[in-house]
């Protein structure tokens, strides 16, 4: 299965095109300034400076975090995607210059990590657990592959390959090699991407090695800690080496544990390798971990990672809404994992989650003007608690400007600048429409030219129209995902309704497609009251509202404060309205609710004999979750109390 | 006003006498072994060893925490109280020996702190903020006063007074003296206790100085940090110097902030000083801080301190039940504060809170067999969360054995071994019955001998009988507190019901009391459904059950797990039963409830379209909160959902 390249698409999507433009016009230029320490008032990044020091172009010390190199790579990956759908000579020249600076630092044996080049190569690969060395290489590979795909230029990719060769000569299961693996995963999936381009088995084997070796006894990280006489930071934690998903072999892992971003990056790599090798035990492990996350550890927004401590998963059904971590990067990582699982299975259940994450817990990470970012994406916020309670201080009320060490902003950037590739994938026989994103698509399926036009106002409207502009007929299967949130839908071919069974959640339309053929989909977007499994303690007696793929929330700006005191009834009637001037244009929902008042309470009394609570009627206004915190800071709430 | 001495009482209380015996027969001997490093498998305390090293009796280094000395003092204070009501030659000899070891370490100028005597006297009083030097002296004074009162022996008190003289010569508002004050308060109230015995104005003045100086600009702790080039641990916290209640002058403090134990120790000292000086602005500050705590920051169990971070208060109405700190020591400290406020005002509102704390959040700190202790007293526990979620790891499911650094166990010990003194206080004209504790009391009021016998089965029964055994008549006022939880009561004098207005919550019976007079009180103990102010987010839609002074809870041992899914109705009927063999004899409550079931849920589904929840009927059994966690570890819950 192949993701459509962004080169094959001319995105004309009302919803995503604006995000893509933001990434291209604001995020990427801003980050370039940041990487070069030219943002006034911001902590310097030192990222590009480190490369210049490492190559001897300038004198200096290594500065910044040990994984500072990766910021340049993430930026280059986003640039690569942008260049695919929007060739831009000026940007490409800047990127080429950055690549020159990076490549100049490469050592004769291929090694390329500025922290150790500057600080002492004798220490390289001695702290895999914490020093993100292989993590940086992973991001380098991902960027290099995308940049090659975008521009056809091999310099960066060849540099990455030389570094991979270097790593290959040092790491492996063979005697005499280091039996190590990364503390922060990403290289596994990166190597599969490299293999997809190079078809060099070495690259796949190295990815497979890192996965197979992980967690084997004796534990590499344990030995490394002893040799280095390092403190093991997580020794008193519950997860211990599972913080790194390295407490046991990956095929023995039953539940998603530890650092959430690392976890989903690893699982993505596992699924990517399994996809190439067909390794059944690895596929089972991926399915088990997927099911554990999505059936037991995922917020309704698709967010993952319940605890700030270790930015980690906690345990099944533990989903606090207010002390939550829910890192933007983890949401993006879950999208990577979903994509790979879909490739393995062609099952819409993965794309259903991908859509849920994308439209809620992922894009919530960026402000609507592209200038500010959330690391933490809560489902419940009270500003005073975020200010005064240390357990909630990480839960910010406002997105932060992107300074210094920054993982989430570039992750959002690379996701959104390549979003079309998640929407459309193809096999030799079949074209999959996974997400409904408007634009023109020009591709080839089984040697046949295909030209499509997709028109939609998704996610505000469930109507999607696909028109074929075929010079010649093309025979293939057009597969349409029926979203899990949709209970009523109509698929019509040239105006005629199609009745067909779903196969793993997709409608398959096989045909010789000819010019003028149209498919219309109408996904009925009803407003749904959702409830959580009663095992989720935090959500008992509450409901969350959704419409189509969007989860909704209440914000103080529309509903006043004390949102916790709001109740809705099961049979509440909603009205919906597209407000084009609100939050860049959103469908808002309005309904009747009730609010617990304290007019019968003396402010000076904390406890009294139980009396029937007094409620007042209140009109509630809901906005899509992703759009919260784009006005004055205030309370926000997703799960609202229900009157039984 | 004077607290009755434990010497004046022969406690025969069914509820408290057993606790007192536990303290005397188990806790005190066990702690003595701990102080002398003779507990197998326990981390050594080094406490008594440090004194011997400091006096040169043995060679060695200082070991243990910087405030290790205070453990010996807390132990001696508890011993002192026990010797009052139970003279015990053997225990007194051991205590005399300990006092000899302590006093032998005193320096020529009176100084006595083993950490600096052993480690370097040149550094003494250079880190008041964090090194607990004056805190240790505070506990020394408290122990020395009690030991003197118990035994009449002055050696320990004279030693303490010499150390106070030394401190007096170094600290003060005068030019040339250090303008410092303790990082951890306690010396303020201790000095007032000393003054109560010595009537030496110096001692009161020093207490007043520490209170008046606290928080003055320029901030002493800030200067000290700069001089020492120390890291200021709380610099990134919300409370900063208010962690120590030192961010502004005490009279400017509006809300209880920072470390909860330190806070209530300080406030107790403030009230104690105000009591002696009549300082109006200080009294107002005490009242303000008291009101803030009890009206806005106190759990229904009387526990205080919402956050583990800094073991601190957070903000008004922020009372999470599951991530709570609620340290036992803070509960004990609130009792100290209540006692001093009552002395200032003779208002029952302080004793109402004292009773609430005592019977719930304080004694919950000790197991029913006196061998294990809670530092943290939660209102809601799920064992899996305590194990796997770092934010709840401090919330233990089982009380811990008392090892190493230990503040809460000796605090409970000194409280319970002197509990009679809180129950009964007197002025020249009036005898106050604040708590209902059985026993014989022999005292003098305004020169007249008074002999009383109090009989009650409190807290299981609201009947209290007071009999006078007067050889001669005595004219005074007998004041009886009417508990705030009681809506119906009868007070009868010699069988005749008394109708009288309450004065600040007390019934005052003025009379020439003669032999054979009896007062009977009948406080109707109905079972009450309590509700919290809707400003307390965590308790919205919930109720807590109480009977008399006792808050009740559900435990897994009686009700199975998933307690969060239990609902009760407002008009639930309860039955009560004294179960003499359960948890050392308790009144249990039984009622009908309902439990949200998940039979309509696929375990593998996290979210679904809202359906009417399904409930099953369930008989609920409630036990007093203080008695939880004395059986198999499991869930516990105080605030239970209500069906509106």
């Amino acid at each position: 299965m192949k993701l459509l390249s962004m080169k094959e698409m001319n995105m004309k999507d009302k919803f995503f095109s604006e995000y893509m433009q933001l990434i291209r016009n604001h995020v990427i230029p801003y980050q370039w300034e940041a990487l070069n320490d030219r943002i006034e008032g911001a902590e310097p990044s030192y990222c590009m400076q480190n490369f210049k020091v490492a190559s001897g172009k300038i004198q200096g010390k290594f500065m910044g975090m040990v994984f500072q190199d990766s910021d340049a790579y993430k930026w280059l990956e986003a640039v690569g995607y942008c260049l695919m759908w929007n060739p831009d000579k000026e940007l490409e020249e800047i990127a080429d210059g950055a690549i020159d600076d990076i490549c100049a630092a490469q050592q004769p044996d291929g090694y390329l990590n500025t922290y150790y080049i500057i600080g002492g190569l004798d220490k390289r690969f001695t702290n895999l657990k914490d020093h993100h060395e292989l993590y940086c290489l992973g991001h380098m590979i991902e960027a290099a592959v995308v940049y090659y795909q975008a521009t056809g230029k091999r310099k960066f990719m060849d540099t990455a390959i030389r570094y991979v060769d270097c790593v290959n000569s040092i790491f492996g299961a063979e005697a005499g090699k280091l039996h190590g693996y990364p503390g922060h995963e990403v290289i596994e999936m990166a190597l599969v991407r490299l293999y997809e381009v190079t078809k060099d088995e070495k690259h796949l084997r190295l990815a497979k090695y890192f996965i197979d070796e992980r967690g084997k006894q004796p534990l590499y990280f344990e030995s490394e800690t002893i040799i280095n006489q390092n403190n093991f930071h997580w020794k008193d934690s519950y997860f211990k080496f599972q913080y790194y998903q390295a407490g046991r072999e990956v095929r023995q892992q039953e539940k998603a544990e530890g650092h959430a971003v690392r976890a989903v990056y690893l699982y993505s790599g596992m699924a990517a390798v399994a996809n190439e090798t067909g390794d059944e035990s690895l596929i089972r492990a991926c399915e088990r971990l997927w099911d554990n996350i999505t059936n037991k550890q995922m917020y309704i927004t698709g967010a993952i990672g319940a605890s700030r401590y270790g930015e980690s998963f906690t345990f099944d059904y533990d989903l606090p809404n207010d002390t939550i971590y829910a890192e933007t990067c983890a949401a993006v990582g879950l999208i990577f994992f979903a994509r790979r699982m879909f490739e393995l299975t062609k099952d819409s259940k993965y794309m259903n989650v991908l859509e849920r994450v994308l439209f809620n817990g992922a894009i919530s990470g960026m402000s609507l003007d592209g200038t500010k970012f959330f690391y933490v994406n809560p489902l419940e916020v009270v500003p005073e608690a975020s200010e005064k309670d240390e357990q909630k201080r990480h839960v910010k009320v406002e997105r932060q400007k992107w300074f210094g060490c920054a993982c989430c902003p570039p992750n959002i950037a690379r996701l959104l600048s390549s979003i079309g590739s998640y929407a459309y994938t193809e096999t030799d026989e079949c074209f999959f429409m996974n997400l409904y994103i408007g634009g023109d698509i020009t591709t080839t399926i089984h040697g046949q030219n295909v030209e499509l036009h997709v028109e939609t106002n998704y996610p505000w409207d469930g109507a999607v129209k696909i028109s074929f502009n075929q010079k010649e007929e093309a025979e293939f299967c057009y597969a349409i995902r029926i979203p899990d949130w949709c209970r009523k839908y109509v698929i019509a071919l040239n105006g005629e309704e199609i009745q067909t069974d779903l196969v793993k959640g997709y409608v398959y339309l096989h045909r010789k497609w000819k010019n003028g053929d149209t498919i219309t989909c109408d996904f009925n977007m009803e407003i749904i009251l959702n409830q959580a499994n009663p095992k989720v303690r935090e959500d008992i007696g509450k409901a969350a509202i959704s419409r189509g793929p969007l989860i909704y929330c209440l914000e103080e700006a529309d509903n006043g404060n004390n949102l916790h005191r709001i109740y809705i009834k099961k049979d509440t009637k909603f009205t919906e309205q597209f407000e084009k001037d609100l939050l860049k244009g959103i469908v808002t929902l309005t309904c009747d609710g009730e609010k617990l008042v304290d007019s019968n309470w003396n402010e000076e009394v904390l406890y009294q004999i139980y009396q029937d609570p007094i409620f007042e009627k209140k009109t509630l206004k809901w906005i899509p979750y992703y759009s919260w915190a784009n006005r004055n800071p205030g309370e926000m709430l997703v799960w609202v109390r229900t009157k039984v």
Side-chain angles (χ1 to χ4, degrees), chain A residues 2 26 80 139 142 213 286 300 335 361 424 428 476 510 568:
Chain A
K2 137 177 189 301
H26 294 287
H139 278 297
E142 300 220 309
E213 189 65 31
C286 289
I300 197 167
I335 287 176
Y424 301 104
D428 263 3
F476 65 94
H510 188 97
I568 53 172

Side-chain angles (χ1 to χ4, degrees), chain A residues 31 162 180 208 267 308 385 485 569 580 588:
Chain A
Q31 190 184 7
R162 278 193 298 274
K208 187 171 167 342
Y267 309 154
R308 173 183 57 169
W485 52 259
K569 286 193 173 146
K580 73 174 173 42
T588 59

Side-chain angles (χ1 to χ4, degrees), chain A residues 548-581:
Chain A
L550 297 174
I551 304 298
Y552 276 71
C553 70
L554 295 173
E555 247 199 332
E556 186 171 338
D558 303 306
N559 302 286
N561 65 1
N562 286 317
L563 298 178
H564 289 83
R565 292 197 219 156
I566 288 174
Y567 284 70
I568 53 172
K569 286 193 173 146
K570 182 197 161 195
D571 50 4
T572 302
K573 296 276 169 285
F574 288 86
T575 56
E576 54 185 61
Q577 187 188 358
F578 185 78
E579 299 193 42
K580 73 174 173 42
D581 296 325

Side-chain angles (χ1 to χ4, degrees), chain A residues 39-56:
Chain A
I39 308 261
E40 212 171 321
E43 221 180 298
S45 152
Y46 305 110
C47 177
M48 294 313 298
Q49 180 183 303
N50 286 334
F51 284 107
K52 288 173 199 152
V53 173
S55 65

Side-chain angles (χ1 to χ4, degrees), chain A residues 258-373:
Chain A
H259 189 267
V261 175
R262 295 177 202 229
V264 285
Y265 278 17
L266 170 65
Y267 309 154
S268 302
M270 286 163 61
V273 166
N275 223 344
E276 298 292 346
T277 62
D279 177 335
E280 278 297 326
S281 64
L282 197 55
I283 294 172
R284 293 294 88 76
C286 289
E287 288 175 338
R288 213 161 49 227
L289 292 162
W290 173 272
D291 288 346
N292 176 259
I293 292 175
T294 57
N295 298 341
K296 293 177 181 166
Q297 299 203 69
M298 184 182 73
Y299 289 90
I300 197 167
T301 57
I304 52 172
S307 174
R308 173 183 57 169
Y309 180 75
E311 305 175 340
S312 70
F313 290 104
T314 51
F315 57 98
D316 291 353
Y317 302 110
D318 183 48
L319 295 166
N321 296 306
D322 55 349
T323 56
I324 187 171
Y325 201 72
E327 189 180 340
T328 304
C329 285
V332 173
L334 184 53
I335 287 176
F336 296 156
F337 187 22
R339 175 215 140 177
R340 291 294 187 181
M341 292 306 290
F342 173 72
E343 286 176 23
L344 262 173
T345 59
K346 300 179 191 61
D347 192 326
S348 74
K349 78 179 205 181
Y350 300 105
M351 282 296 165
N352 288 333
V353 169
L354 191 153
E355 184 184 61
R356 181 187 289 275
V357 183
L358 174 65
F359 280 101
N360 301 288
I363 56 172
S364 62
M366 188 168 86
S367 65
L368 295 176
D369 62 4
T371 63
K372 292 179 180 173
F373 298 86

Side-chain angles (χ1 to χ4, degrees), chain A residues 41 55 62 88 90 119 292 295 363 376 439 487 528 587 606:
Chain A
S55 65
F62 178 89
D88 175 336
E90 200 184 332
N292 176 259
N295 298 341
I363 56 172
V376 170
R487 292 195 289 184
I528 290 175
V587 169
L606 253 184

